[in-house]
């Protein structure tokens, strides 16, 4: 995963956190849920990329 992808995922995660907190403060369930959903999506993409990197690293270790 490149730096750009990591930055995009982190930005989306932070945006989700902000939305969730604003939803808490304003007692807006929709905004709170939307923020939690954004955080989950960003974390899932990041985890998927980490799995791909681990597989690539393992493959490279065997090729050497």
């Amino acid at each position: 995963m490149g730096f750009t992808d990591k930055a995009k995922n982190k930005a989306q995660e932070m945006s989700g956190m902000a939305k969730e907190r604003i939803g808490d403060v304003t007692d807006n369930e929709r905004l709170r849920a939307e923020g939690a959903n954004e955080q989950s999506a960003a974390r899932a993409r990041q985890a998927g990329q980490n799995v791909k990197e681990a597989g690539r690293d393992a493959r490279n270790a065997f090729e050497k």
Side-chain angles (χ1 to χ4, degrees), residues 3-60:
F3 175 76
T4 306
D5 292 331
K6 288 181 182 181
K8 284 180 184 178
N9 288 339
K10 195 54 144 171
Q12 184 178 11
E13 186 177 353
M14 298 300 283
S15 172
M17 285 178 159
K19 283 183 181 182
E20 189 172 14
R21 288 181 191 225
I22 291 170
D24 283 339
V25 171
T26 61
D27 200 30
N28 184 334
E29 283 294 323
R30 184 192 60 78
L31 192 57
R32 187 180 306 149
E34 187 177 320
N37 189 30
E38 278 188 26
Q39 287 181 67
S40 296
R43 289 177 184 155
R45 267 197 311 282
Q46 192 169 13
Q49 291 295 328
N50 289 340
V51 168
K52 281 197 256 186
E53 285 180 3
R56 191 175 315 124
D57 291 344
R59 186 187 69 218
N60 289 340

